[in-house]
Amino acid sequence: MVIPMIGYVILSILGIYLFFVFTGDFIKKITKIKVCALCAAVLLTWVGLLVLKLIGYNIDVLIIGILIGQCIMGITCKLEKKMKDKFAIAMMKITMVIVGTFLAYILLQKL
């Protein structure tokens, strides 16, 4: 049975996620950086797919776009937790969505 590309993408996210879950404390100890396992998994998956697309593999840009959107919302949620002012939060959210969407469109349009 042939696994469709989405299956490989899901397996990639799961594998990278588990890697960072189990190595997160070690990475933090060495780098002093706390890595969000899910954020890293999604980011590394779409970057990997983008690289594969750029070197000639037949990768559906739709899944890259979906993963970029997940990253945009993940970053927005992380930033929101650090902010207190409701107006600033509202402005940051809409700015992140608009700018992130525009940048993702520009990137994916070239593929």
Side-chain angles (χ1 to χ4, degrees), residues 23-33:
T23 62
D25 289 340
F26 177 73
I27 292 170
K28 185 177 179 184
K29 197 179 294 185
I30 291 176
T31 65
K32 308 292 187 238
I33 298 170

Side-chain angles (χ1 to χ4, degrees), residues 32-92:
K32 308 292 187 238
I33 298 170
K34 182 180 178 190
V35 177
C36 168
L38 188 56
C39 301
V42 173
L43 174 74
L44 290 173
T45 299
W46 75 256
V47 169
L49 290 171
L50 182 62
V51 169
L52 290 173
K53 179 74 174 173
L54 291 173
I55 63 173
Y57 283 85
N58 183 21
I59 303 295
D60 186 356
V61 294
L62 176 62
I63 190 63
I64 298 173
I66 291 167
L67 296 173
I68 290 172
Q70 291 175 347
C71 281
I72 292 167
M73 292 314 299
I75 292 167
T76 302
C77 290
K78 290 281 185 187
L79 290 174
E80 181 180 15
K81 290 179 183 177
K82 296 179 184 287
M83 301 173 75
K84 303 233 185 280
D85 181 81
K86 288 187 182 208
F87 181 75
I89 291 171
M91 292 296 97
M92 178 275 300

